[in-house]
Structure formats: structure tokens, C-alpha cells
């Protein structure tokens, strides 16, 4: 019996069928392993994490072969290895659960950690316990009101109403104690892109929260700005390719110009023949290196390195293990790994930013990465810098890039005043989708990449030029001014303790 369109999930058909066509054009013989390698990101993203290995293998094999049959394409099923996909799903479960346990398979082959497996959006729906709420209240009550951040807009309105002004911390506390679910505000992280704050702060207050301190948009180097203005006047990818090829520069003495030249050649080349039709089929790894590689290569020749391939954040790991104690009344807890990021930006032992990428557009993953996972990692990076160097906390900026499919958002984290850690974002910028919008899309993306580098280099310069005095370990005066990130009790309790209850 022939396979009909109705037998295939429309979304699977939209992704798998074009890929098979693309592979069929390159070779007369398509191997199942090649298909899996190309679909790995999609499979990891779409797989139910409670599924067993056999279920995953059977389900996806069926979808792939149904699509191949529909298109009359033959697939060779020899030497197929699913282990890398299983491992990536395991890592995803671990990351979503904040688990510090090694993942394995249960007796029935289920991919799981020692905790029950949850869906990819479990971290977005983590309910607070009564213990959590008490700890949050205790944390806010421990803050010194003398250090609170009072907005001018708040003070002006309070004077008109003849009442005492309320600080930013007090407004955040009121919202935090009313939350049912875990939210960044419990770590005093104020993400100004979060719609919740529109109900907490007035429009004038939000404007002041955005504009206080150093601006997120900084001036770019004049020589780069001049070249970008010239590129903006071009018409086609071919014009950009020729401009990049003709750009006169010394690759050693002028690394920024070398980056600009190579970026124009590499990105415009994608649109010279096929008009970028196959871009949405790229795997997550391909997108990081082929589409968005210029975000990282801009650091070539600088003191900052972009380390990719799922590197664990040292700052985040140190924060998670900050309360470890020698075995006494309770047993010594296991070491917890920091969150794995797709890229971490480091200079020596200083972490200055991070990047997360999703291969296919997915709002849940974008929110998980950009609104929960990355803010906590970025705050841990900021705290680690303040702990190591005697810098003013309001001088430090941590950068994050959140890529969702073919769109990127730049995040800037700082602590401008009081106990608040603020996140401001640029509007999401799309990757070029065709030769028609290549020029208008690539110019702001080049500006974004340069902006992120400048902010990180400014922060690094401040750290390197700030003297470091000797301090006494664990002395109250040497403790971090900002409170650490809050972790709900469900993520900090060990499985062994749970099993004894």
C-alpha cells in the first residue's frame, strides 16, 4: 500500500522531505546515518523525553522511511548509530532538570535521570514549595534598605501623592512573594523584556530602568562604521562578495577588517546560487558555524576566546557548589556541574558571556534558554568577576546571545544600582532569507557582533586595570554584595535525601 500525505505529520514532512531531496541531489545513494546526522537537532528538539530508546528509534525510522517512500527515494539502512542522538536527549533532560546525576537508561530503556523525566518546558513551570517561599522572603528581608535603588520617577510620584517612595527591590519583592512558580525575580534578576514588569512599574519607571547607567548601544570603531555605511549602499550579495574580496587590510594588524572581509565572503556566498533556500535545513551545529560563525570569529586576534561545543560554565558550577561542606552532620554532597552552553566567551579564567542556539524555531526553547537558563548563568559570571577582582559592580557587563532558528537576540546584564541585576535586550534580528534582503539584514548583524565584542572588551579592560587587594577568606566584609541566584528546593535536594522521606 502506498504512503499518502495523510500518513505523515505535516511538520515532519516539511522538514524531512526537503532534506531528502537535498541529499538525493548530492548522491545517488542516501545512507540512513547521513539522514540522522542532518536531522539530529530536529529529532532532539521534537522527541518526547519520556520515550524509551526503542520508541525513539522506531518512531523516527518510520517517519523518515515514510517520507522517503512518498518521494520515491531509497535509503540504505546499514551501520546506523543512534547513540549520539540518545546522548544528546539525555543531556537535554539533565539540563532541564538542573540534575547533577549521571544519566542512564532504566530497565525498560527509558532515557531518564534519577529524577522523573520532564518535558523541555518543565523549568518554565517549576512550582515553589512553602520552603522555597520562606527562603525567598528570608533573602529579601536580609537586604539592607540603605542600599536600595530608588528611581527618580518613583520619588517624584510619591512626592505628588504625599507617600513614602518604594524602592525597586521592594517592588520586586512584592511581585516575587506573589509568585507561584520559580521566576528570575527570586534571584533579583530584572529582565526588562519580561511583560510582568509592565504591571509592577509605571511607564516612566520602566524608561528610567532602561536608560540608567551605561547605554546598551555603544559607539563602534570609526573605521568599521565607515565600512558598514559603504556596505549598506550595496545592492546584492554579489556586490558584498566583491567588496569583501577587495577590502584592503593587514590580517594580523587589522583583525577586525580581516573578520569583516571573511564574513562578507562566507555569508554572501550562501546567496549567490540557491538564494539561501536550504538554510532552514541546516543542523544546529551547521547554523552555529556556517550561519552565525561570525558572532564568534570576531574574537579572533583578540584576548577573548569563543569556546564552543557545549562547554560547562565554571562560574555557574562554582555558584552551585558554593554551599558544599565537609561531611559532618550531613554527608558531603556530590559536585554539581555548571550549565552547558553552546559557546562561552573567556579570557584567561574570566567568563564574559555566553551563547545558546536552537536549530529550529521554538518559542519554548527560546524562553527556556533566554529567560531562565542564560540569566542565571550570566549572573553567576558577574558574581564570579566581582568576587575575583575588586571592581565596582556597576562597571561589569555580561553579554548573552540567544539564537532561535534564524534569529538572534543580544542580552546585556549589569547591576547598575542597589541589589538588582538588570537585563536589557536588543530586538531580535533575522538572518538574511534571500538575496533581496541580504544587505539590509547583514549590516545590523555585523553591528550586533561588533557591539558584543566591544562591551566584553570594555569589561575586560576594567578588570585588568583594577588593583586587587589581599582579603580574608569568608570574612563578612569580603562576601559578595549581590545575593546569589536562588534555586528551588526541588533542584537542590539530592535524590538520596528524597528517597528517605
Amino acid at each position: 500500500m502506498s504512503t499518502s500525505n495523510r500518513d505523515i505529520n505535516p511538520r515532519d514532512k516539511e522538514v524531512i522531505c526537503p532534506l531528502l531531496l537535498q541529499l538525493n541531489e548530492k548522491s545517488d545513494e542516501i545512507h540512513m546515518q547521513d539522514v540522522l546526522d542532518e536531522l539530529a537537532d530536529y529529532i532532539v528538539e521534537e522527541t518526547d523525553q519520556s520515550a524509551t530508546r526503542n520508541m525513539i528509534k522506531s518512531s523516527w525510522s518510520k517517519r523518515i522511511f515514510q517520507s522517503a517512500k512518498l518521494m520515491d527515494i531509497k535509503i540504505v539502512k546499514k551501520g546506523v548509530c543512534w547513540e549520539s542522538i540518545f546522548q544528546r536527549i539525555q543531556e537535554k533532560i539533565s539540563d532541564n532538570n538542573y540534575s547533577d546525576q549521571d544519566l542512564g537508561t532504566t530497565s525498560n530503556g527509558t532515557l531518564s535521570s534519577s529524577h522523573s523525566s520532564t518535558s523541555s518546558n518543565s523549568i518554565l513551570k517549576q512550582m515553589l514549595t512553602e520552603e522555597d517561599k520562606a527562603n525567598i522572603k528570608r533573602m529579601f528581608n536580609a537586604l539592607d534598605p540603605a542600599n536600595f535603588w530608588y528611581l527618580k520617577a518613583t520619588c517624584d510620584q510619591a512626592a505628588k501623592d504625599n507617600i513614602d517612595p518604594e524602592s525597586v527591590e521592594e517592588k520586586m519583592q512584592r511581585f516575587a512573594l506573589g509568585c507561584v512558580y520559580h521566576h528570575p525575580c527570586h534571584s533579583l534578576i530584572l529582565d526588562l523584556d519580561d511583560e510582568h514588569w509592565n504591571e509592577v512599574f509605571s511607564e516612566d519607571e520602566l524608561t528610567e530602568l532602561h536608560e540608567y547607567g551605561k547605554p546598551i548601544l555603544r559607539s563602534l570603531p570609526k573605521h568599521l562604521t565607515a565600512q558598514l555605511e559603504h556596505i549598506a549602499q550595496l545592492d546584492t550579495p554579489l556586490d558584498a562578495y566583491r567588496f569583501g574580496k577587495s577590502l584592503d587590510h593587514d590580517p594580523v594588524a587589522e583583525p577586525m577588517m580581516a573578520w569583516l572581509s571573511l564574513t562578507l565572503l562566507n555569508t554572501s556566498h550562501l546567496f549567490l546560487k540557491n538564494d539561501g533556500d536550504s538554510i532552514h535545513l541546516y543542523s544546529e551545529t551547521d547554523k552555529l558555524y556556517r550561519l552565525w560563525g561570525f558572532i564568534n570569529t570576531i574574537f579572533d586576534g583578540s584576548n577573548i576566546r569563543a569556546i564552543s561545543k557545549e562547554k560547562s560554565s565554571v562560574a555557574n558550577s562554582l555558584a552551585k557548589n558554593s554551599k558544599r561542606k565537609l561531611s559532618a552532620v550531613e554527608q558531603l554532597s556530590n559536585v554539581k556541574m555548571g550549565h552547558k552552553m553552546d559557546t562561552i566567551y573567556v579570557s584567561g579564567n574570566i567568563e564574559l558571556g555566553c551563547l545558546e542556539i536552537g536549530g529550529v524555531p521554538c518559542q519554548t526553547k527560546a524562553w527556556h534558554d533566554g529567560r531562565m537558563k542564560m540569566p542565571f548563568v550570566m549572573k553567576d559570571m558577574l558574581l564570579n568577576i566581582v568576587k575575583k577582582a575588586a571592581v565596582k559592580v556597576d562597571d561589569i557587563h555580561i553579554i548573552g546571545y540567544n539564537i532561535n532558528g534564524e534569529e538572534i537576540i543580544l542580552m546585556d546584564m549589569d547591576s547598575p544600582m542597589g541589589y538588582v541585576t538588570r537585563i536589557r535586550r536588543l530586538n531580535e534580528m533575522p538572518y538574511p532569507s534571500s538575496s533581496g534582503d541580504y544587505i539590509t539584514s547583514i549590516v545590523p548583524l555585523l553591528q550586533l557582533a561588533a557591539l558584543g565584542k566591544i562591551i566584553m572588551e570594555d569589561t575586560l579592560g576594567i578588570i585588568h586595570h583594577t588593583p586587587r587587594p589581599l582579603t580574608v577568606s569568608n570574612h563578612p566584609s569580603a562576601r559578595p554584595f549581590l545575593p546569589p541566584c536562588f534555586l528551588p528546593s526541588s533542584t537542590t535536594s539530592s535524590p538520596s535525601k528524597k528517597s528517605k522521606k
Side-chain angles (χ1 to χ4, degrees):
M1 190 174 86
S2 63
T3 304
S4 68
N5 288 341
R6 288 176 296 178
D7 296 324
I8 307 174
N9 181 294
R11 179 159 167 75
D12 291 337
K13 178 184 173 185
E14 187 178 291
V15 173
I16 298 173
C17 289
L19 172 63
L20 294 178
L21 275 177
Q22 185 183 22
L23 292 175
N24 195 45
E25 290 175 358
K26 295 179 180 179
S27 174
D28 295 333
E29 192 175 71
I30 300 178
H31 290 264
M32 181 64 168
Q33 188 64 56
D34 293 333
V35 179
L36 288 183
D37 291 343
E38 294 293 335
L39 286 175
D41 293 330
Y42 182 67
I43 292 174
V44 172
E45 190 63 41
E46 295 295 319
T47 295
D48 183 349
Q49 294 176 19
S50 64
T52 65
R53 289 176 174 238
N54 288 337
M55 288 167 60
I56 295 170
K57 185 176 179 180
S58 173
S59 172
W60 284 103
S61 294
K62 181 179 178 182
R63 299 183 207 188
I64 292 169
F65 280 102
Q66 279 184 336
S67 298
K69 189 173 182 180
L70 178 66
M71 306 181 71
D72 198 24
I73 293 176
K74 186 177 180 180
I75 297 179
V76 179
K77 192 180 180 182
K78 288 183 180 180
V80 181
C81 179
W82 288 79
E83 196 57 39
S84 63
I85 289 178
F86 292 152
Q87 181 61 33
R88 286 185 59 186
I89 296 174
Q90 287 177 323
E91 290 175 354
K92 185 177 180 182
I93 295 170
S94 176
D95 211 17
N96 287 343
N97 289 340
Y98 290 102
S99 174
D100 62 317
Q101 302 297 314
D102 289 333
L103 292 166
T105 55
T106 60
S107 57
N108 67 352
T110 302
L111 293 167
S112 65
S113 68
S114 54
H115 303 293
S116 61
S117 297
T118 57
S119 64
S120 62
N121 64 359
S122 61
I123 192 174
L124 299 174
K125 301 178 182 178
Q126 193 164 14
M127 292 191 71
L128 297 172
T129 65
E130 290 304 317
E131 178 186 356
D132 290 332
K133 294 176 182 179
N135 288 334
I136 292 168
K137 187 174 183 178
R138 193 176 300 115
M139 182 271 292
F140 274 102
N141 289 339
L143 302 179
D144 184 356
N147 296 319
F148 283 176
W149 182 8
Y150 288 90
L151 298 172
K152 181 179 182 300
T154 306
C155 294
D156 289 346
Q157 187 60 48
K160 291 179 182 178
D161 298 337
N162 197 27
I163 59 174
D164 292 332
E166 195 175 25
S167 68
V168 176
E169 288 85 352
E170 289 169 318
K171 288 175 178 283
M172 292 183 70
Q173 178 181 14
R174 184 157 36 85
F175 174 75
L177 295 180
C179 290
V180 177
Y181 296 92
H182 183 212
H183 186 275
C185 68
H186 300 133
S187 299
L188 275 163
I189 295 175
L190 179 64
D191 187 341
L192 293 175
D193 201 51
D194 189 337
E195 294 290 337
H196 286 108
W197 299 123
N198 294 335
E199 302 170 10
V200 177
F201 298 100
S202 69
E203 188 171 337
D204 289 340
E205 289 172 331
L206 287 171
T207 298
E208 187 174 344
L209 286 168
H210 270 283
E211 296 179 352
Y212 188 87
K214 289 183 181 179
I216 184 172
L217 294 173
R218 314 275 183 95
S219 297
L220 302 182
K222 291 182 179 179
H223 63 288
L224 177 62
T225 300
Q227 299 295 352
L228 293 177
E229 289 175 351
H230 183 88
I231 296 168
Q233 302 303 314
L234 302 177
D235 294 321
T236 67
L238 183 57
D239 292 338
Y241 185 90
R242 289 170 175 163
F243 179 80
K245 191 176 180 180
S246 66
L247 195 60
D248 186 31
H249 65 280
D250 183 329
V252 177
E254 301 174 284
M256 183 73 85
M257 288 299 101
W259 164 79
L260 181 60
S261 174
L262 290 172
T263 299
L264 289 174
L265 291 173
N266 292 332
T267 57
S268 63
H269 189 264
L270 297 171
F271 297 90
L272 297 183
K273 288 186 178 180
N274 60 12
D275 207 30
D277 288 343
S278 61
I279 282 177
H280 71 283
L281 297 176
Y282 285 0
S283 67
E284 181 177 301
T285 301
D286 283 339
K287 284 184 177 178
L288 178 56
Y289 290 101
R290 294 197 65 187
L291 301 189
W292 300 104
F294 64 91
I295 298 293
N296 290 344
T297 57
I298 195 172
F299 294 98
D300 292 349
S302 75
N303 293 324
I304 300 173
R305 289 190 303 147
I307 304 177
S308 299
K309 287 293 183 183
E310 291 279 330
K311 185 185 185 300
S312 177
S313 168
V314 174
N316 187 237
S317 176
L318 290 172
K320 286 185 175 184
N321 293 289
S322 62
K323 295 186 178 180
R324 289 187 82 214
K325 295 181 290 187
L326 288 174
S327 298
V329 177
E330 294 182 349
Q331 181 179 341
L332 174 68
S333 60
N334 294 330
V335 172
K336 300 176 181 179
M337 294 299 294
H339 276 310
K340 289 184 177 181
M341 312 302 292
D342 288 311
T343 300
I344 290 181
Y345 302 95
V346 301
S347 181
N349 63 351
I350 300 170
E351 296 179 342
L352 299 161
C354 56
L355 177 150
E356 276 290 284
I357 183 170
V360 295
C362 176
Q363 187 186 61
T364 299
K365 176 171 172 55
W367 281 20
H368 167 269
D369 290 347
R371 297 180 185 271
M372 294 296 285
K373 179 180 177 181
M374 291 178 67
F376 296 130
V377 171
M378 291 167 69
K379 180 171 181 179
D380 288 337
M381 290 178 175
L382 188 150
L383 289 174
N384 195 44
I385 290 173
V386 174
K387 183 178 180 181
K388 287 180 178 179
V391 293
K392 291 176 59 180
V393 67
D394 54 310
D395 284 335
I396 304 302
H397 287 252
I398 304 296
I399 294 299
Y401 301 104
N402 187 15
I403 300 174
N404 186 32
E406 285 85 60
E407 293 182 333
I408 185 171
I409 293 175
L410 182 146
M411 305 161 56
D412 175 286
M413 172 180 278
D414 67 344
S415 181
M417 185 68 75
Y419 296 97
V420 177
T421 306
R422 172 182 64 178
I423 293 179
R424 294 173 293 179
R425 302 164 186 261
L426 297 186
N427 285 322
E428 60 187 9
M429 295 299 303
Y431 197 84
S433 61
S434 68
S435 58
D437 70 356
Y438 172 80
I439 297 296
T440 55
S441 296
I442 200 65
V443 170
L445 291 178
L446 297 172
Q447 293 172 326
L448 181 146
L451 176 63
K453 178 176 184 284
I454 286 170
I455 294 175
M456 287 191 226
E457 287 181 335
D458 284 350
T459 294
L460 187 62
I462 291 170
I463 296 170
H464 285 170
H465 291 91
T466 301
R468 302 186 185 187
L470 295 175
T471 56
V472 178
S473 174
N474 207 34
H475 191 278
S477 64
R479 291 172 189 167
F481 174 75
L482 298 176
C485 290
F486 170 77
L487 287 179
S489 56
S490 58
T491 66
T492 57
S493 301
S494 67
S496 58
K497 289 180 183 179
K498 288 184 178 182
S499 61
K500 291 178 183 179
K501 290 181 181 179

